[in-house]
């Protein structure tokens, strides 16, 4: 997101058993902030403009759920 000076990426930061969507500023570097939650796996497709994304989440106790996040 060039307008806000941030980059978004998925990573397994807390545990190799989970993947979250993170955001970090490249204008004011700091720790990445998780935009998703849960102890499972996120697959994400970002919109070309703006902060919207389609995300699918699942874990051992939850079947896959897909939603639009704004």
């Amino acid at each position: 997101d060039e307008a806000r000076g941030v980059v978004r990426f998925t990573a397994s930061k807390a545990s190799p058993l989970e993947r979250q969507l993170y955001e970090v500023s490249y204008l004011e570097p700091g720790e990445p902030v998780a935009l998703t939650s849960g102890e499972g796996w996120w697959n994400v497709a970002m919109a070309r403009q703006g902060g919207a994304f389609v995300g699918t989440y699942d874990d051992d106790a939850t079947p896959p759920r897909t939603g639009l996040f704004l």
Side-chain angles (χ1 to χ4, degrees):
D1 186 341
E2 289 185 62
R4 291 184 48 232
V6 297
V7 63
R8 293 181 193 95
F9 60 94
T10 55
S12 299
K13 185 179 175 197
S15 163
L17 301 176
E18 67 180 60
R19 181 169 65 183
Q20 305 293 332
L21 175 64
Y22 292 91
E23 178 178 271
V24 67
S25 172
Y26 56 81
L27 299 175
E28 298 176 25
E31 279 293 309
V33 175
L35 300 178
T36 55
S37 61
E39 296 180 356
W41 203 260
W42 281 90
N43 289 306
V44 176
M46 297 296 304
R48 290 192 185 268
Q49 295 181 358
F53 66 93
V54 173
T56 300
Y57 173 81
D58 69 286
D59 61 34
D60 290 340
T62 308
R65 296 179 292 180
T66 301
L68 173 63
F69 299 87
L70 304 172

